[in-house]
Amino acid sequence: MTSNKEDYLKVIYEEGGLEQAVPNKTISEKLDVAPASVSEMLAKLDKQGLISYEAYKGSRLTEAGLAACIDVVRSHELWEVFLMRHLGYSWREAHEDAHLLEHVAPPRMVDRLDAFLNYPKTCPHGSLIPQNGQAPDRLHLMRLSNLSEGETAVIHRVVEDGTLLDYLERSGLQIQKAIQVLSIDDYEGPVSFLQDGNTITISFKAATQIFVECQNIISQEDGQ
Ligand SMILES: [Zn+2]
Ligand SMILES: [Zn+2]
């Protein structure tokens, strides 16, 4: 399998393609590939049984498609952990260079890397790392931009996009930590929240790229 195909499958996986169809537009944006080339590649992947493609809806990952990309996903995320922990990489740098390593590292190297890192559960950006060739159970997360003022939540994951990662890392926000929303300005204005005693303000657009577990919802469910 060429790295190009793996990249497509990986994007479909990352965009939730196990549960729902991922639109061509999303794939085209994520891979920075022209829509016509995306359609062409998706037709091929569909023919090979790696995805099931439905016109106007998009692509879902099949079992075969998952099997074909899960090891690359795992490799990518483990390299990210290594690069940040041991080589002082930034969020963005780790994501970018892990993309190079994920395709060349043989399975035994990835297994030993996993052991060396003491079997991390998540990548530095909060994605759950697959284990035993299985996709991790997805948590029911919501976008930070959908929270209301005063609500508390835990940041679980941020979307892995180079410029966004730089922006978010500069803001000082931390993954796996609780926040309380202070304000969300009208007309998709800036979003401010409190984390670890610091007030952090980010753009509304960035807040749509951050996935959180809302604590209010959990307590409501517990109360039932
Ligand atoms: Zn990444
Ligand atoms: Zn990551």
Side-chain angles (χ1 to χ4, degrees):
M1 175 161 310
T2 65
S3 62
N4 202 357
K5 253 193 224 175
E6 286 173 347
D7 289 338
Y8 275 79
L9 296 174
K10 199 152 69 83
V11 164
I12 297 168
Y13 170 83
E14 285 163 359
E15 293 298 317
L18 285 176
E19 292 97 21
Q20 63 201 34
V22 178
N24 289 21
K25 188 167 172 275
T26 308
I27 299 170
S28 163
E29 283 170 5
K30 285 268 162 184
L31 293 175
D32 199 16
V33 172
S37 317
V38 169
S39 309
E40 205 176 299
M41 177 61 95
L42 292 177
K44 268 190 215 163
L45 296 175
D46 185 55
K47 217 170 164 188
Q48 292 171 2
L50 297 170
I51 62 165
S52 69
Y53 178 75
E54 207 180 322
Y56 306 108
K57 285 201 164 162
S59 310
R60 282 164 167 274
L61 211 55
T62 61
E63 282 296 316
L66 176 67
C69 74
I70 199 85
D71 290 341
V72 187
V73 171
R74 173 170 173 255
S75 172
H76 177 91
E77 292 173 347
L78 290 170
W79 283 115
E80 285 184 338
V81 175
F82 175 81
L83 294 172
M84 285 204 63
R85 266 196 216 164
H86 298 287
L87 301 186
Y89 272 55
S90 71
W91 275 5
R92 178 185 188 153
E93 290 170 338
H95 173 65
E96 287 177 353
D97 288 2
H99 187 62
L100 306 174
L101 295 163
E102 73 193 23
H103 294 296
V104 292
R108 69 176 169 205
M109 187 187 283
V110 179
D111 285 342
R112 288 191 205 172
L113 178 65
D114 197 10
F116 174 70
L117 296 169
N118 201 16
Y119 309 102
K121 295 263 185 303
T122 62
C123 86
H125 317 98
S127 289
L128 293 166
I129 299 177
Q131 270 157 3
N132 308 318
Q134 301 286 313
D137 286 339
R138 297 241 164 195
L139 303 168
H140 291 285
L141 303 178
M142 60 191 284
R143 292 170 196 270
L144 200 163
S145 53
N146 289 334
L147 292 174
S148 309
E149 288 179 9
E151 278 189 306
T152 54
V154 173
I155 295 183
H156 273 265
R157 176 169 84 82
V158 301
V159 169
E160 300 190 16
D161 168 84
T163 346
L164 176 75
L165 290 176
D166 273 345
Y167 177 82
L168 292 178
E169 194 167 29
R170 243 181 298 142
S171 79
L173 74 77
Q174 295 174 66
I175 291 171
Q176 314 296 352
K177 280 211 172 150
I179 59 163
Q180 181 171 27
V181 178
L182 296 173
S183 63
I184 299 181
D185 285 6
D186 290 340
Y187 300 106
E188 302 190 349
V191 176
S192 292
F193 55 87
L194 203 63
Q195 188 178 47
D196 250 4
N198 299 314
T199 301
I200 295 172
T201 303
I202 57 173
S203 73
F204 186 87
K205 193 173 176 198
T208 65
Q209 305 296 298
I210 298 171
F211 291 89
V212 302
E213 188 174 20
C214 185
Q215 311 251 290
N216 310 41
I217 288 172
I218 295 168
S219 55
Q220 272 168 22
E221 277 174 0
D222 286 348
Q224 276 174 3

